């Protein structure tokens, strides 16, 4: 990673997330953490929200986060990390109304991570929902208004 003091917690987070280890993942998160999925307009708050986010994501996808060749990452000071990465996995469960297809996928995204008190305070995800849906075999965009963590903010 780097000599940034938050690099260690970020590395532990990625290992725990890729292992689908909820307790270890939550241990890297600030109690007041916020997750924002800009493609779907959803936002999750605190450890309860993070648990819901990860459980839903892991139920839909046997997935890991990887860095592809040529992708960039950077630190802005000590509190902000920005990276390009890839979700690599298989569609194994319902995702936004789409039954599991068993399709393997590699989907790029960009994430902004903020830190507070030596833990991850927030993650904001940016990705192309239409191309993810097409990769899963679905040519329509899902209805987003009914999503449980959708916000109008």
């Amino acid at each position: 990673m780097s000599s940034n003091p938050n690099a260690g917690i970020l590395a532990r987070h990625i290992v725990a997330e890729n292992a689908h280890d909820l307790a270890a993942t939550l241990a890297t998160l600030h109690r007041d953490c916020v997750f924002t999925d800009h493609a779907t307009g959803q936002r999750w708050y605190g450890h309860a929200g993070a648990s819901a986010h990860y459980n839903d994501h892991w139920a839909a996808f046997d997935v890991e986060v990887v860095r592809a060749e040529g992708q960039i990452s950077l630190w802005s000071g000590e509190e902000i990390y920005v990276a390009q990465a890839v979700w690599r996995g298989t569609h194994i469960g319902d995702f936004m109304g789409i039954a599991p297809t068993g399709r393997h996928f590699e989907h790029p995204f960009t994430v902004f991570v903020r830190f507070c008190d030596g833990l991850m305070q927030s993650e904001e995800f940016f990705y192309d929902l239409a191309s993810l849906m097409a990769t899963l075999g679905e040519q329509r965009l899902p209805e987003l208004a009914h999503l449980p963590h959708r916000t109008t903010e």
Side-chain angles (χ1 to χ4, degrees):
M1 289 270 163
S2 80
S3 61
N4 186 296
N6 289 311
I9 199 74
L10 180 63
R12 285 193 300 278
H13 177 82
I14 293 168
V15 168
E17 182 178 344
N18 283 345
H20 298 198
D21 182 337
L22 185 60
T25 301
L26 292 177
T28 66
L29 303 176
H30 193 277
R31 71 179 177 281
D32 297 323
C33 61
V34 178
F35 284 74
T36 305
D37 181 332
H38 287 279
T40 66
Q42 294 183 96
R43 187 170 291 150
W44 296 264
Y45 299 94
H47 280 194
S51 294
H53 165 73
Y54 283 111
N55 284 327
D56 289 349
H57 193 69
W58 294 336
F61 303 111
D62 180 14
V63 68
E64 67 177 343
V65 174
V66 297
R67 298 286 309 286
E69 186 176 331
Q71 290 186 314
I72 62 168
S73 65
L74 60 93
W75 287 96
S76 177
E78 293 183 356
E79 275 77 39
I80 299 174
Y81 177 75
V82 181
Q84 296 173 314
V86 171
W87 287 308
R88 179 183 296 155
T90 305
H91 182 205
I92 60 169
D94 182 80
F95 176 66
M96 297 177 54
I98 299 173
T101 63
R103 288 187 182 205
H104 179 77
F105 65 93
E106 292 191 18
H107 195 72
F109 68 97
T110 300
V111 63
F112 287 72
V113 182
R114 293 180 191 273
F115 296 84
C116 178
D117 300 329
L119 296 169
M120 292 173 58
Q121 169 65 38
S122 66
E123 287 190 71
E124 294 187 56
F125 302 98
F126 296 87
Y127 61 97
D128 180 358
L129 182 58
S131 66
L132 176 59
M133 300 304 279
T135 299
L136 300 178
E138 181 60 51
Q139 297 306 313
R140 66 170 176 83
L141 282 174
E143 175 60 43
L144 300 177
H146 73 281
L147 295 174
H149 299 280
R150 183 126 166 105
T151 179
T152 58
E153 295 179 63

